[in-house]
Amino acid sequence: MAGDGVTGHGAPDWVPAGTPSDQLPAVLATGRTDVRVVFVSMSAREPDGRDEEYLVWHALDHRPEQYRLAALRGSLRLVSTPACRAARAAADARYEAVDHVMSYLFSDRAALEPFLALGRALGEGGRMPLRLPSVETAAYDLAGTVAAPRAAVGADVIPWRPARGVYLLIERGRAAADALAAAPGVAGAWWYAGSPLPPPWRNDTTGLQITYCYLDGDPVAAAEELHPVLEKRWAGGDVTPLLAAPFHAVMPFEFGRYLP
């Protein structure tokens, strides 16, 4: 549609001017990301179909409270629709039920202790009225970042650039995401190496890698564009897919727009 700032598959037709940040040492010298760990909570759909009710509560109540934590740098909630599910390139039994993904970016692993304490305090205050069936909670350490040159902004800030969704990969092994960021519709990617969670959590993702490909366009269309790139990636043998799936980003005050 003319004048809507997008073209093809919902990808933006805006073209940035100037040199990409990652090619400008003076820009990079002013600051680099201090994110070191991502906490990931993956859940199944709400058994009674109350997904929208949950998303409203989480967005307007629970998620804002997390910014009391000094080490929190960012957060992102993702939802898989039936069309997203149909476009998955891989779904191991461990992750097949995942329809909701919540991610918190922290500057320090030590932040996980106050993060847990905050959740406990909110629960004791009656502020946890609805839970989703948990599939896995996990921690991963930042391993690499890359931005597509066409995005202009540097890899350090890709998670704060507006995205319509994410193509999420969970793989066994290690591989950079440069080829993924070169695919149409991908503005950039961050990837993380798995590691154990501290008590009382018990999940251990050692040996796994999680990659977030931040999308400009429709996630289902991006899944199609990424398919040959993923086939080549997995053929190399460095990584084995456990989950390869497109997700929509939750839209503020349009909480029912994307539901499982």
Side-chain angles (χ1 to χ4, degrees):
M1 182 182 299
D4 66 357
V6 300
T7 184
H9 302 314
D13 58 8
W14 176 77
V15 178
T19 304
S21 296
D22 287 338
Q23 300 173 27
L24 294 171
V27 170
L28 300 180
T30 64
R32 308 300 300 266
T33 185
D34 68 347
V35 171
R36 294 296 176 264
V37 62
V38 61
F39 180 91
V40 186
S41 175
M42 292 175 283
S43 308
R45 71 196 69 176
E46 209 287 320
D48 298 319
R50 300 167 66 190
D51 299 85
E52 182 177 357
E53 181 182 341
Y54 175 88
L55 293 175
V56 170
W57 162 75
H58 195 276
L60 300 182
D61 183 343
H62 193 70
R63 185 173 172 181
E65 291 286 2
Q66 309 310 308
Y67 284 88
R68 296 180 181 277
L69 304 173
L72 183 63
R73 295 293 180 264
S75 60
L76 179 65
R77 177 164 280 285
L78 304 169
V79 175
S80 175
T81 64
C84 288
R85 273 190 156 271
R88 292 182 176 184
D92 182 81
R94 178 173 175 175
Y95 299 108
E96 197 279 332
V98 174
D99 277 314
H100 294 274
V101 179
M102 185 64 209
S103 307
Y104 293 104
L105 304 179
F106 290 106
S107 62
D108 193 327
R109 267 188 168 264
L112 295 177
E113 183 175 345
F115 176 62
L116 179 64
L118 174 58
R120 186 183 302 116
L122 290 170
E124 291 171 352
R127 298 276 293 282
M128 297 275 202
L130 185 61
R131 301 288 185 97
L132 295 176
S134 178
V135 174
E136 186 170 281
T137 54
Y140 293 82
D141 298 313
L142 186 64
T145 67
V146 63
R150 64 169 183 79
V153 303
D156 288 283
V157 299
I158 279 292
W160 294 272
R161 185 180 183 273
R164 296 180 186 272
V166 161
Y167 196 93
L168 190 70
L169 292 170
I170 301 177
E171 299 163 307
R172 193 174 303 281
R174 296 283 182 269
D178 297 67
L180 300 171
V186 180
W190 278 28
W191 60 101
Y192 305 79
S195 56
L197 270 171
W201 293 298
R202 294 184 177 87
N203 289 337
D204 186 349
T205 54
T206 301
L208 303 186
Q209 175 175 288
I210 191 167
T211 303
Y212 292 71
C213 298
Y214 294 90
L215 306 176
D216 283 337
D218 176 71
V220 175
E224 183 178 349
E225 299 277 9
L226 278 166
H227 191 73
V229 183
L230 293 171
E231 285 190 333
K232 183 175 181 180
R233 176 183 177 89
W234 297 330
D238 293 328
V239 287
T240 301
L242 300 178
L243 180 67
F247 289 83
H248 288 277
V250 170
M251 305 300 290
F253 296 100
E254 296 183 35
F255 301 112
R257 185 171 180 179
Y258 303 117
L259 295 174

Short mmCIF file of all heavy atoms in Angstrom, two decimals, residues 124-165:
data_model
loop_
_atom_site.label_atom_id
_atom_site.label_comp_id
_atom_site.label_asym_id
_atom_site.label_seq_id
_atom_site.Cartn_x
_atom_site.Cartn_y
_atom_site.Cartn_z
N GLU A 124 3.63 -13.47 46.08
CA GLU A 124 3.11 -13.37 47.45
C GLU A 124 2.13 -12.22 47.59
O GLU A 124 1.27 -12.25 48.47
CB GLU A 124 4.27 -13.21 48.42
CG GLU A 124 5.13 -14.46 48.54
CD GLU A 124 6.40 -14.24 49.34
OE1 GLU A 124 6.70 -13.07 49.68
OE2 GLU A 124 7.12 -15.23 49.59
N GLY A 125 2.23 -11.23 46.69
CA GLY A 125 1.31 -10.11 46.71
C GLY A 125 0.06 -10.34 45.87
O GLY A 125 -0.72 -9.40 45.65
N GLY A 126 -0.13 -11.57 45.39
CA GLY A 126 -1.30 -11.88 44.60
C GLY A 126 -1.26 -11.35 43.18
O GLY A 126 -2.29 -11.20 42.53
N ARG A 127 -0.06 -11.11 42.68
CA ARG A 127 0.10 -10.49 41.37
C ARG A 127 0.41 -11.51 40.27
O ARG A 127 0.84 -11.12 39.19
CB ARG A 127 1.23 -9.45 41.44
CG ARG A 127 0.94 -8.30 42.42
CD ARG A 127 0.11 -7.22 41.79
NE ARG A 127 0.87 -6.56 40.75
CZ ARG A 127 1.83 -5.64 41.00
NH1 ARG A 127 2.12 -5.31 42.24
NH2 ARG A 127 2.47 -5.08 39.99
N MET A 128 0.19 -12.78 40.54
CA MET A 128 0.43 -13.84 39.55
C MET A 128 -0.87 -14.61 39.34
O MET A 128 -0.98 -15.78 39.73
CB MET A 128 1.53 -14.79 40.03
CG MET A 128 2.88 -14.15 40.22
SD MET A 128 3.80 -14.09 38.69
CE MET A 128 5.47 -13.92 39.32
N PRO A 129 -1.87 -14.01 38.72
CA PRO A 129 -3.18 -14.65 38.64
C PRO A 129 -3.29 -15.78 37.62
O PRO A 129 -4.20 -16.60 37.70
CB PRO A 129 -4.10 -13.50 38.23
CG PRO A 129 -3.22 -12.59 37.43
CD PRO A 129 -1.87 -12.66 38.11
N LEU A 130 -2.37 -15.83 36.67
CA LEU A 130 -2.49 -16.79 35.58
C LEU A 130 -1.10 -17.22 35.11
O LEU A 130 -0.23 -16.38 34.92
CB LEU A 130 -3.26 -16.15 34.41
CG LEU A 130 -3.61 -17.02 33.21
CD1 LEU A 130 -4.51 -18.19 33.63
CD2 LEU A 130 -4.31 -16.17 32.13
N ARG A 131 -0.92 -18.52 34.96
CA ARG A 131 0.36 -19.05 34.47
C ARG A 131 0.13 -19.83 33.19
O ARG A 131 -0.92 -20.44 33.00
CB ARG A 131 0.98 -19.97 35.52
CG ARG A 131 1.27 -19.34 36.87
CD ARG A 131 2.44 -18.38 36.82
NE ARG A 131 2.79 -17.88 38.13
CZ ARG A 131 3.76 -18.37 38.90
NH1 ARG A 131 4.47 -19.41 38.48
NH2 ARG A 131 4.02 -17.84 40.08
N LEU A 132 1.13 -19.84 32.34
CA LEU A 132 1.13 -20.71 31.17
C LEU A 132 1.88 -21.99 31.50
O LEU A 132 2.79 -21.98 32.33
CB LEU A 132 1.81 -20.01 29.98
CG LEU A 132 1.14 -18.77 29.42
CD1 LEU A 132 2.02 -18.16 28.32
CD2 LEU A 132 -0.24 -19.08 28.87
N PRO A 133 1.54 -23.10 30.86
CA PRO A 133 2.28 -24.35 31.10
C PRO A 133 3.74 -24.19 30.65
O PRO A 133 4.02 -23.94 29.48
CB PRO A 133 1.55 -25.37 30.23
CG PRO A 133 0.20 -24.78 29.98
CD PRO A 133 0.41 -23.30 29.93
N SER A 134 4.65 -24.33 31.59
CA SER A 134 6.07 -24.12 31.27
C SER A 134 6.63 -25.29 30.48
O SER A 134 6.39 -26.45 30.79
CB SER A 134 6.87 -23.95 32.56
OG SER A 134 8.25 -23.79 32.27
N VAL A 135 7.37 -24.97 29.42
CA VAL A 135 8.11 -25.97 28.66
C VAL A 135 9.56 -26.00 29.14
O VAL A 135 10.12 -27.06 29.40
CB VAL A 135 8.05 -25.68 27.15
CG1 VAL A 135 8.95 -26.65 26.38
CG2 VAL A 135 6.61 -25.77 26.64
N GLU A 136 10.16 -24.81 29.27
CA GLU A 136 11.54 -24.74 29.74
C GLU A 136 11.89 -23.32 30.12
O GLU A 136 11.50 -22.36 29.45
CB GLU A 136 12.50 -25.25 28.66
CG GLU A 136 13.95 -25.35 29.10
CD GLU A 136 14.81 -26.08 28.08
OE1 GLU A 136 14.76 -27.32 28.06
OE2 GLU A 136 15.52 -25.41 27.30
N THR A 137 12.61 -23.15 31.22
CA THR A 137 13.28 -21.90 31.53
C THR A 137 14.76 -22.14 31.43
O THR A 137 15.25 -23.21 31.84
CB THR A 137 12.92 -21.41 32.95
OG1 THR A 137 13.19 -22.44 33.90
CG2 THR A 137 11.45 -21.00 33.03
N ALA A 138 15.48 -21.19 30.88
CA ALA A 138 16.89 -21.44 30.60
C ALA A 138 17.68 -20.14 30.59
O ALA A 138 17.12 -19.05 30.45
CB ALA A 138 17.04 -22.14 29.25
N ALA A 139 18.99 -20.28 30.77
CA ALA A 139 19.90 -19.14 30.67
C ALA A 139 20.95 -19.44 29.61
O ALA A 139 21.43 -20.58 29.50
CB ALA A 139 20.58 -18.88 32.01
N TYR A 140 21.27 -18.43 28.83
CA TYR A 140 22.28 -18.56 27.79
C TYR A 140 23.20 -17.34 27.85
O TYR A 140 22.74 -16.22 28.11
CB TYR A 140 21.64 -18.60 26.40
CG TYR A 140 20.80 -19.81 26.09
CD1 TYR A 140 19.48 -19.89 26.52
CD2 TYR A 140 21.30 -20.87 25.31
CE1 TYR A 140 18.69 -20.99 26.20
CE2 TYR A 140 20.52 -21.96 24.99
CZ TYR A 140 19.21 -22.02 25.43
OH TYR A 140 18.42 -23.10 25.12
N ASP A 141 24.48 -17.54 27.60
CA ASP A 141 25.46 -16.46 27.63
C ASP A 141 25.72 -15.93 26.23
O ASP A 141 25.89 -16.71 25.28
CB ASP A 141 26.77 -16.96 28.23
CG ASP A 141 26.59 -17.42 29.68
OD1 ASP A 141 25.96 -16.68 30.45
OD2 ASP A 141 27.08 -18.52 30.02
N LEU A 142 25.73 -14.61 26.09
CA LEU A 142 25.92 -13.99 24.78
C LEU A 142 27.22 -14.47 24.14
O LEU A 142 28.29 -14.42 24.73
CB LEU A 142 25.94 -12.47 24.90
CG LEU A 142 25.98 -11.70 23.58
CD1 LEU A 142 24.71 -11.95 22.77
CD2 LEU A 142 26.15 -10.20 23.83
N ALA A 143 27.09 -14.95 22.88
CA ALA A 143 28.25 -15.49 22.17
C ALA A 143 28.61 -14.68 20.93
O ALA A 143 29.76 -14.69 20.49
CB ALA A 143 27.99 -16.95 21.77
N GLY A 144 27.63 -13.98 20.34
CA GLY A 144 27.93 -13.22 19.13
C GLY A 144 26.77 -12.36 18.69
O GLY A 144 25.61 -12.62 19.04
N THR A 145 27.08 -11.35 17.92
CA THR A 145 26.07 -10.43 17.38
C THR A 145 26.45 -10.07 15.96
O THR A 145 27.63 -10.00 15.61
CB THR A 145 25.98 -9.14 18.21
OG1 THR A 145 27.20 -8.39 18.08
CG2 THR A 145 25.75 -9.44 19.70
N VAL A 146 25.44 -9.81 15.12
CA VAL A 146 25.69 -9.37 13.75
C VAL A 146 24.50 -8.55 13.28
O VAL A 146 23.35 -8.82 13.66
CB VAL A 146 25.93 -10.58 12.81
CG1 VAL A 146 24.70 -11.47 12.72
CG2 VAL A 146 26.36 -10.12 11.43
N ALA A 147 24.78 -7.53 12.50
CA ALA A 147 23.72 -6.72 11.89
C ALA A 147 23.86 -6.76 10.38
O ALA A 147 24.98 -6.77 9.85
CB ALA A 147 23.80 -5.26 12.37
N ALA A 148 22.74 -6.81 9.69
CA ALA A 148 22.78 -6.69 8.24
C ALA A 148 23.16 -5.25 7.89
O ALA A 148 22.61 -4.31 8.47
CB ALA A 148 21.40 -7.02 7.66
N PRO A 149 24.10 -5.03 6.98
CA PRO A 149 24.49 -3.67 6.63
C PRO A 149 23.31 -2.79 6.22
O PRO A 149 23.30 -1.59 6.49
CB PRO A 149 25.47 -3.87 5.47
CG PRO A 149 26.05 -5.22 5.71
CD PRO A 149 24.93 -6.04 6.29
N ARG A 150 22.29 -3.39 5.60
CA ARG A 150 21.14 -2.58 5.17
C ARG A 150 20.36 -2.01 6.34
O ARG A 150 19.58 -1.07 6.19
CB ARG A 150 20.20 -3.42 4.30
CG ARG A 150 19.57 -4.59 5.05
CD ARG A 150 18.46 -5.25 4.27
NE ARG A 150 17.86 -6.31 5.05
CZ ARG A 150 16.97 -6.10 6.02
NH1 ARG A 150 16.58 -4.86 6.30
NH2 ARG A 150 16.45 -7.10 6.71
N ALA A 151 20.56 -2.57 7.57
CA ALA A 151 19.86 -2.07 8.74
C ALA A 151 20.46 -0.77 9.25
O ALA A 151 19.81 -0.03 9.99
CB ALA A 151 19.87 -3.12 9.85
N ALA A 152 21.70 -0.49 8.90
CA ALA A 152 22.44 0.72 9.29
C ALA A 152 22.86 0.67 10.76
O ALA A 152 24.02 0.87 11.08
CB ALA A 152 21.68 2.00 8.99
N VAL A 153 21.93 0.41 11.68
CA VAL A 153 22.30 0.39 13.09
C VAL A 153 23.25 -0.77 13.36
O VAL A 153 23.24 -1.78 12.66
CB VAL A 153 21.07 0.29 14.00
CG1 VAL A 153 20.10 1.43 13.74
CG2 VAL A 153 20.36 -1.04 13.85
N GLY A 154 24.08 -0.61 14.39
CA GLY A 154 25.08 -1.62 14.68
C GLY A 154 24.53 -2.85 15.37
O GLY A 154 23.43 -2.84 15.94
N ALA A 155 25.32 -3.91 15.33
CA ALA A 155 24.91 -5.17 15.94
C ALA A 155 24.64 -5.03 17.42
O ALA A 155 23.78 -5.73 17.98
CB ALA A 155 25.99 -6.23 15.71
N ASP A 156 25.33 -4.11 18.10
CA ASP A 156 25.14 -3.91 19.53
C ASP A 156 23.71 -3.51 19.89
O ASP A 156 23.28 -3.75 21.02
CB ASP A 156 26.09 -2.82 20.05
CG ASP A 156 27.53 -3.27 20.09
OD1 ASP A 156 27.88 -4.02 21.02
OD2 ASP A 156 28.29 -2.90 19.19
N VAL A 157 22.99 -2.91 18.98
CA VAL A 157 21.67 -2.36 19.32
C VAL A 157 20.53 -3.03 18.56
O VAL A 157 19.38 -2.59 18.65
CB VAL A 157 21.63 -0.83 19.09
CG1 VAL A 157 22.66 -0.15 19.99
CG2 VAL A 157 21.89 -0.46 17.64
N ILE A 158 20.81 -4.09 17.83
CA ILE A 158 19.78 -4.76 17.03
C ILE A 158 18.54 -5.15 17.86
O ILE A 158 17.40 -5.00 17.38
CB ILE A 158 20.38 -5.99 16.30
CG1 ILE A 158 21.11 -5.53 15.03
CG2 ILE A 158 19.32 -7.01 15.94
CD1 ILE A 158 20.21 -4.98 13.93
N PRO A 159 18.67 -5.66 19.10
CA PRO A 159 17.45 -6.03 19.84
C PRO A 159 16.53 -4.85 20.16
O PRO A 159 15.36 -5.06 20.49
CB PRO A 159 18.00 -6.66 21.13
CG PRO A 159 19.36 -7.15 20.76
CD PRO A 159 19.88 -6.12 19.80
N TRP A 160 17.04 -3.62 20.07
CA TRP A 160 16.21 -2.44 20.37
C TRP A 160 15.67 -1.79 19.11
O TRP A 160 14.91 -0.83 19.19
CB TRP A 160 17.03 -1.45 21.20
CG TRP A 160 17.32 -2.03 22.55
CD1 TRP A 160 16.55 -1.96 23.67
CD2 TRP A 160 18.47 -2.82 22.90
NE1 TRP A 160 17.14 -2.65 24.69
CE2 TRP A 160 18.32 -3.20 24.26
CE3 TRP A 160 19.60 -3.25 22.21
CZ2 TRP A 160 19.26 -3.98 24.93
CZ3 TRP A 160 20.53 -4.03 22.87
CH2 TRP A 160 20.37 -4.38 24.21
N ARG A 161 16.04 -2.31 17.97
CA ARG A 161 15.45 -1.85 16.71
C ARG A 161 14.07 -2.51 16.56
O ARG A 161 13.93 -3.70 16.83
CB ARG A 161 16.36 -2.26 15.55
CG ARG A 161 15.96 -1.76 14.17
CD ARG A 161 16.99 -2.26 13.15
NE ARG A 161 16.74 -1.77 11.81
CZ ARG A 161 15.94 -2.36 10.93
NH1 ARG A 161 15.29 -3.47 11.27
NH2 ARG A 161 15.79 -1.87 9.72
N PRO A 162 13.03 -1.79 16.16
CA PRO A 162 11.71 -2.41 16.04
C PRO A 162 11.75 -3.64 15.14
O PRO A 162 12.39 -3.63 14.09
CB PRO A 162 10.85 -1.29 15.42
CG PRO A 162 11.50 -0.04 15.87
CD PRO A 162 12.98 -0.33 15.87
N ALA A 163 11.07 -4.70 15.58
CA ALA A 163 11.01 -5.95 14.82
C ALA A 163 9.58 -6.45 14.81
O ALA A 163 8.86 -6.34 15.80
CB ALA A 163 11.93 -7.00 15.43
N ARG A 164 9.17 -7.02 13.69
CA ARG A 164 7.83 -7.62 13.61
C ARG A 164 7.80 -8.99 14.27
O ARG A 164 6.73 -9.50 14.60
CB ARG A 164 7.39 -7.73 12.15
CG ARG A 164 7.23 -6.37 11.47
CD ARG A 164 6.78 -6.54 10.03
NE ARG A 164 6.76 -5.28 9.34
CZ ARG A 164 5.72 -4.44 9.30
NH1 ARG A 164 4.62 -4.76 9.95
NH2 ARG A 164 5.79 -3.31 8.65
N GLY A 165 8.96 -9.56 14.43
CA GLY A 165 9.04 -10.87 15.05
C GLY A 165 10.46 -11.37 15.05
O GLY A 165 11.41 -10.63 14.75
#
